[in-house]
Amino acid sequence: MSHRPRTRTVLSCGLLLVPLAVSATACGGSDSDALSANPYDAADQITANTPDGKKKADPDKPLEVSVKGDDARITDVTATDSTGRFVHGELSADGRHWRTTVPLAAGTRYTVRVSTEEEDGSPGRKTLVVNTKDADGQLTAAFGPEAGEYGVGQPVTAELSQPIKDPKARAIVESALKVDSMPRVEGAWHWVDNKKLHFRPKEYWPAHATISVHSNLAGLKIAKGLYGGPSKPVKLTTGDRVEAVTDAATHQMTVWRNGESIKTLPVTTGKPGFSTRNGVKVVLGKESFVRMRSSTVGIAAGSSESYDLPVYWATRVTWSGEYVHAAPWSVGSQGAANVSHGCTGMSTGNAQWFFNTVRVGDVVKVVNSGGDTMTPFDNGFGDWNMPWKEWRDGSALKSKASSTTGAAERAQNPVGDARLRPRI
């Protein structure tokens, strides 16, 4: 059969991205008798760059389909993965070649349905099944905190299974880590290091919000030889907006719930040389009893500043050992002077009330102390002390608008971990 120039809509169909909802009929130009015929098996006309037998295709290479000879052309290709998601591709203007235009996923089964047409308009069909090789390396994300209810200051964390340094790879990873909230907020991921990201809103989370965290990494190509793997989703909620603000100059802590002051407590904070850190901290955990030893925070035993005390109703706000806790030995100074070694001390009754009022993720802020400002990442959750612009600059997607759609790690206190040692 001789090849004749075709003026039918090969070009207009060929430049559409797969999936195409059109068939040979939609492109038109053939007589009704040919189009009403049952499609023939086009296996002899179709070639593909897929391995023979039980071998699997390389996901780093595009999938390509072609027709042999001059008697037929490809009119439509639909490719889907094992979950039914369509894979984009492009058909050449002459209708003789088709190829994927997006990376394939590793360890995935694809079904490719090819429609052809003879010169006389007779339609042909061929279905190909392609399995891609498993990835040499796999990237997963472990989200934190664990599912539960938290305070409005609780950041979301993602710990990657492998370090990611390349900016392009970081952008791919970050775009696949999804945080959805009701109500919707403006927020962004920030790369703490090559393996860890934190997500926080521009302001605190709304009270009584629902936050869902999940990953779309599975099967996604991150870099050569590295593909995303499955990650466990996490669902969080927030409670009331509880904020405790301690003024180290007036020696008073005011506790707010949903914008209303509910209690003011006399306190003592760090004395000169042991000043309490300024800035926003987030409750990391609560311990009804802690034995506090000065030797665990670098104060020599037997020195004038040493101590070894049983402490009750201790609410942790830093990994290095800063707590809000009962300090019955300093009641005479509470509300009048700063005499602690960095913690915020109060009476036993007030400490128990505070312990029972706050939850992990609630906000504890200190102002007017002589101490440094709480660092963002290396001593708990000081994320809120970083200005929003600087936070956004730590995103691999900082050029794009970011928002959600519509635990803190809990203190473990392992023996021998100096980060977790308390101070008074």
Side-chain angles (χ1 to χ4, degrees):
M1 195 177 281
S2 62
H3 177 72
R4 301 193 302 268
R6 295 177 177 83
T7 58
R8 288 173 293 182
T9 56
V10 175
L11 180 60
S12 62
C13 290
L15 294 182
L16 289 175
L17 292 179
V18 173
L20 298 176
V22 297
S23 65
T25 304
C27 287
S30 298
D31 62 76
S32 59
D33 290 339
L35 292 178
S36 63
N38 291 326
Y40 61 84
D41 183 358
D44 292 339
Q45 293 177 327
I46 299 298
T47 62
N49 64 335
T50 55
D52 295 329
K54 296 182 179 180
K55 294 182 179 179
K56 296 184 177 181
D58 185 350
D60 285 331
K61 297 179 180 179
L63 176 62
E64 297 179 306
V65 177
S66 301
V67 290
K68 296 183 288 186
D70 296 327
D71 296 339
R73 63 187 179 101
I74 299 171
T75 58
D76 183 51
V77 180
T78 301
T80 56
D81 65 14
S82 55
T83 67
R85 292 178 296 187
F86 290 101
V87 180
H88 289 286
E90 186 177 54
L91 184 62
S92 62
D94 62 6
R96 301 192 57 77
H97 304 281
W98 177 91
R99 70 193 301 271
T100 54
T101 56
V102 294
L104 300 178
T108 302
R109 181 184 181 90
Y110 291 96
T111 301
V112 185
R113 296 176 176 86
V114 184
S115 297
T116 63
E117 183 185 75
E118 289 275 13
E119 280 190 333
D120 62 4
S122 300
R125 299 287 188 272
K126 174 62 180 176
T127 298
L128 305 171
V129 175
V130 181
N131 292 291
T132 55
K133 297 177 183 177
D134 293 332
D136 294 332
Q138 191 175 75
L139 183 77
T140 59
F143 296 118
E146 61 187 36
E149 185 174 78
Y150 294 86
V152 298
Q154 177 65 53
V156 172
T157 65
E159 185 81 29
L160 304 178
S161 59
Q162 298 191 42
I164 301 297
K165 300 179 181 180
D166 178 70
K168 291 182 179 179
R170 282 190 170 193
I172 293 171
V173 171
E174 187 177 329
S175 65
L177 303 180
K178 302 299 183 181
V179 180
D180 302 328
S181 73
M182 288 294 292
R184 180 173 177 162
V185 298
E186 181 182 2
W189 289 102
H190 183 101
W191 287 79
V192 177
D193 55 36
N194 291 331
K195 293 184 68 175
K196 184 180 294 183
L197 299 87
H198 285 195
F199 185 99
R200 50 156 273 209
K202 184 177 181 180
E203 308 294 341
Y204 300 138
W205 294 103
H208 307 292
T210 299
I211 304 157
S212 298
V213 189
H214 66 279
S215 166
N216 290 336
L217 283 171
L220 186 66
K221 182 178 179 180
I222 310 301
K224 184 175 177 59
L226 179 63
Y227 288 78
S231 301
K232 182 180 178 181
V234 170
K235 185 175 182 179
L236 315 173
T237 57
T238 59
D240 289 337
R241 177 171 173 148
V242 175
E243 303 167 77
V245 181
T246 297
D247 189 331
T250 64
H251 320 292
Q252 302 287 325
M253 172 192 281
T254 302
V255 181
W256 303 76
R257 178 182 286 127
N258 299 326
E260 179 182 352
S261 172
I262 59 173
K263 198 162 190 175
T264 297
L265 311 170
V267 299
T268 184
T269 62
K271 60 186 176 181
F274 299 91
S275 295
T276 305
R277 295 170 183 82
N278 281 297
V280 177
K281 303 152 196 175
V282 171
V283 174
L284 301 174
K286 301 193 295 182
E287 300 160 65
S288 59
F289 172 78
V290 181
R291 185 176 179 183
M292 295 191 177
R293 302 179 180 89
S294 58
S295 59
T296 64
V297 292
I299 300 174
S303 69
S304 61
E305 298 292 348
S306 68
Y307 54 84
D308 186 345
L309 294 169
V311 174
Y312 295 89
W313 309 117
T315 300
R316 181 187 286 276
V317 293
T318 73
W319 294 127
S320 61
E322 186 180 321
Y323 286 83
V324 177
H325 65 76
W329 56 85
S330 66
V331 168
S333 297
Q334 292 165 18
N338 293 322
V339 298
S340 83
H341 289 86
C343 289
T344 298
M346 56 184 65
S347 71
T348 299
N350 286 338
Q352 185 175 5
W353 176 88
F354 184 80
F355 185 97
N356 292 332
T357 299
V358 300
R359 61 167 54 87
V360 171
D362 280 339
V363 174
V364 177
K365 184 177 182 180
V366 176
V367 299
N368 298 322
S369 170
D372 294 333
T373 299
M374 171 75 169
T375 52
F377 306 118
D378 62 353
N379 197 17
F381 291 111
D383 304 51
W384 306 100
N385 298 307
M386 181 178 288
W388 179 243
K389 183 180 184 304
E390 186 178 347
W391 183 274
R392 290 286 289 116
D393 286 344
S395 165
L397 305 174
K398 57 189 175 183
S399 62
K400 300 180 181 179
S402 179
S403 65
T404 64
T405 60
E409 304 159 0
R410 294 183 182 271
Q412 298 299 316
N413 201 22
V415 175
D417 190 341
R419 299 179 311 158
L420 306 179
R421 297 309 185 193
R423 61 181 70 224
I424 62 172

